[in-house]
Amino acid sequence: MSPDTPTPVDTGLLEGRVALVTGGAAGIGLGIATAMAEQGATVVLAARRLENGEPAAESLRAAGHRARCVRCDVTSRDDLEEAVAAAVEEFGRLDCLVHNAVGGSAAPGPLEGIGDGWRGLLATTVRASFDTAQVAHPHLAAAGGSLVFLTSAAGMEGSANLPAYAMVKASQRALAKSLSREWGSDGIRVNCIAPVAMTPAMARAYAANPELEERLVERTPLRRIGDPVEDIGPVAVFLASDLARFVTGQTIVADGGGFLGL
Amino acid sequence: MGLQTLLCGDGPLASDLADRLTETGSDVSVVEPSGLLDRAEAAARVDAAVAGLGGLDLLVHVLSAPPTPTDLVDLDTDDWAAAAEAPMAVGLHLLQVARPHLANGSRVVHVLPTSAMGGAPGFAATATAAEGLRALNKSAARQWGPAGITTAVVAVAPELALGLLAATEGAALADAALGGPGGAGQLADLLEVLASPGAAFTTGSTIVADGGTWMAP
């Protein structure tokens, strides 16, 4: 982050709220959880591996925030039900569910070469979006809360490298729009964030392709890659807060201006 | 126009469209989506269909939908899988196995409801699949453009694609400027235009053909 870039201030926008973030142990999920915790939310990190999620939750607690980790493989409906139940039982409510987790094979390549690995993408994004929505619905309705899906600009512009990833990420946007129309009368807002941020996965991509960072930065008007806490987190905070009480069915692209097609 | 056309679809719109294309001189072979869920079976069916046609100028995937609207909270997992996930698997397999038959000048068209772009209460699963297929179409455009293979999405009125007026409730800000959602005849005419050399410099685009309801962007 540039030294003269203002940092979002702690204003307690989410004081008293409870948020659950899938894929919350690292990367953008942890960034979102951290930003929400800094704004007063109690955060539940839903992580596939406790050995990753627990240290992340502990680091948040050490910083004075309210956080816990629950083990959750988002391809398991039972795990999702248990994670949401754990959040509600321990903290009494669920105001926001952020479905960020994504898994499966998204190896770049020609469309014709896509094998069964794409079904992991389908399971973690499309099926898990369906499951998280159904499981969270009664609790979000009780709280007047919001559901957020992490999607991608690839879903809006297509991708020459990752066609299966583009397909599943696009589909989440239409689901969010449909749910925004079905659930508006329940007081639930449903939105998407399309981020580009420095994550462990991005770091691995840089390591494999050292020119990637320069190319990405060059095509980004703000000339940097986002930070999960400082750049993506505040967008999720906004969507979860009352500031966004009239915003639903939308996708906010948080990528430094790289995608301008909306 | 005499297009060698492979059409994937199983609803009334797909059937009517096949009839109209045939009436205007195209050779049309229809494959059922249910036969493309397995990639190996998809390859066998598509290979056989294209062999019967003698070539492939136009590949059309028409998305169909469940017969009745159901709110997402009431949808069971099997119905979700059938309406949201299966069409994306079919769409992917269709492109994969058709690719060896597509050549310079071939056109790939997905016929989808505009609810891909605007959502559809009661049809969330279908809208989910539709927007996924729209992105797949764009990705194919980016990959196959250098080979001269172009793609397009034709977005039709939800009541045409989904067969129910309920699908459009609250979706449109205005009635269709041209008086109605149109039908297979208008759609067949548009497909012939899209498959013609005059449209060869458009690819990955979404053409809205709903009589002037959805006017975004």
Side-chain angles (χ1 to χ4, degrees):
Chain A
M1 167 174 256
S2 157
D4 55 356
T5 301
T7 300
V9 293
D10 178 356
T11 54
L13 282 170
L14 301 180
E15 199 63 51
R17 310 284 174 89
V18 177
L20 185 149
V21 183
T22 69
I28 289 173
L30 181 56
I32 286 172
T34 302
M36 287 181 153
E38 288 173 349
Q39 296 292 332
T42 298
V43 293
V44 178
L45 310 181
R48 193 156 59 96
R49 293 190 177 92
L50 283 177
E51 61 267 33
N52 295 333
E54 282 292 4
E58 178 53 37
S59 70
L60 289 173
R61 289 192 293 269
H65 304 307
R66 291 180 297 277
R68 70 161 290 187
C69 173
V70 293
R71 198 202 68 77
C72 178
D73 177 345
V74 297
T75 65
S76 163
R77 172 84 173 214
D78 288 346
D79 278 12
L80 284 166
E81 288 177 347
E82 289 171 12
V84 168
V88 174
E89 284 168 14
E90 181 164 348
F91 302 116
R93 57 192 291 151
L94 181 66
D95 298 274
C96 182
L97 192 150
V98 179
H99 177 41
N100 157 74
V102 59
S105 170
L111 198 155
E112 306 90 284
I114 296 170
D116 282 344
W118 86 279
R119 293 190 180 277
L121 283 173
L122 189 72
T124 54
T125 56
V126 181
R127 175 66 64 84
S129 293
F130 168 73
D131 284 333
T132 53
Q134 282 199 332
V135 169
H137 175 265
H139 306 293
L140 297 178
S146 76
L147 177 63
V148 177
F149 295 139
L150 270 291
T151 179
S152 168
M156 293 176 265
E157 60 185 355
S159 173
N161 296 317
L162 299 168
Y165 180 77
M167 179 167 66
V168 299
K169 284 296 175 184
S171 73
Q172 289 178 295
R173 295 186 65 231
L175 176 60
K177 292 177 183 180
S178 299
L179 291 181
S180 74
R181 294 174 60 192
E182 288 190 9
W183 292 1
S185 58
D186 295 332
I188 303 172
R189 297 175 295 103
V190 187
N191 293 289
C192 296
I193 302 170
V196 173
M198 196 60 207
T199 63
M202 186 77 89
R204 289 193 294 274
Y206 284 175
N209 182 359
E211 295 176 354
L212 180 62
E213 180 173 14
E214 185 178 338
R215 279 197 288 117
L216 280 178
V217 169
E218 182 63 28
R219 56 168 264 183
T220 303
L222 295 182
R223 291 293 188 269
R224 62 184 177 83
I225 302 303
D227 177 83
V229 179
E230 304 291 346
D231 294 314
I232 312 304
V235 179
V237 167
F238 166 70
L239 289 174
S241 77
D242 290 340
L243 292 177
R245 66 185 183 180
F246 206 50
V247 179
T248 192
Q250 305 303 310
T251 296
I252 298 181
V253 183
D255 70 345
F259 176 76
L260 298 171
L262 275 181
Chain B
M1 190 175 169
L3 297 167
Q4 295 163 317
T5 302
L6 180 64
L7 192 153
C8 173
D10 59 0
L13 179 60
S15 176
D16 292 348
L17 180 59
D19 290 345
R20 293 304 297 257
L21 288 168
T22 301
E23 287 170 14
T24 55
S26 290
D27 293 328
V28 181
S29 182
V30 177
V31 291
E32 297 275 330
S34 58
L36 307 187
L37 283 165
D38 174 79
R39 181 170 171 171
E41 185 180 352
R45 291 186 181 225
V46 167
D47 289 350
V50 175
L53 290 168
L56 186 55
D57 301 314
L58 177 62
L59 175 65
V60 183
H61 184 177
V62 180
L63 180 66
S64 57
T68 54
T70 306
D71 285 349
L72 188 98
V73 292
D74 298 322
L75 199 63
D76 70 37
T77 299
D78 288 344
D79 288 340
W80 166 264
E85 298 169 15
M88 286 192 272
V90 166
L92 178 59
H93 293 159
L94 179 63
L95 295 193
Q96 288 180 318
V97 302
R99 175 63 185 88
H101 304 293
L102 298 166
N104 191 339
S106 296
R107 176 71 97 168
V108 177
V109 178
H110 287 85
V111 178
L112 309 169
T114 53
S115 46
M117 300 174 284
F123 291 94
T126 300
T128 298
E131 188 63 354
L133 290 172
R134 203 162 71 92
L136 183 66
N137 183 284
K138 296 176 192 179
S139 297
R142 294 186 187 281
Q143 287 198 350
W144 298 349
I149 301 164
T150 58
T151 79
V153 170
V154 176
V156 299
E159 58 265 47
L160 190 63
L162 307 180
L164 285 170
L165 287 173
T168 66
E169 287 176 4
L173 295 175
D175 293 335
L178 299 180
Q186 287 96 334
L187 184 55
D189 291 346
L190 178 56
L191 291 183
E192 290 187 351
V193 171
L194 288 173
S196 71
F201 200 56
T202 65
T203 192
S205 300
T206 297
I207 313 296
V208 180
D210 67 349
T213 298
W214 180 275
M215 293 190 181

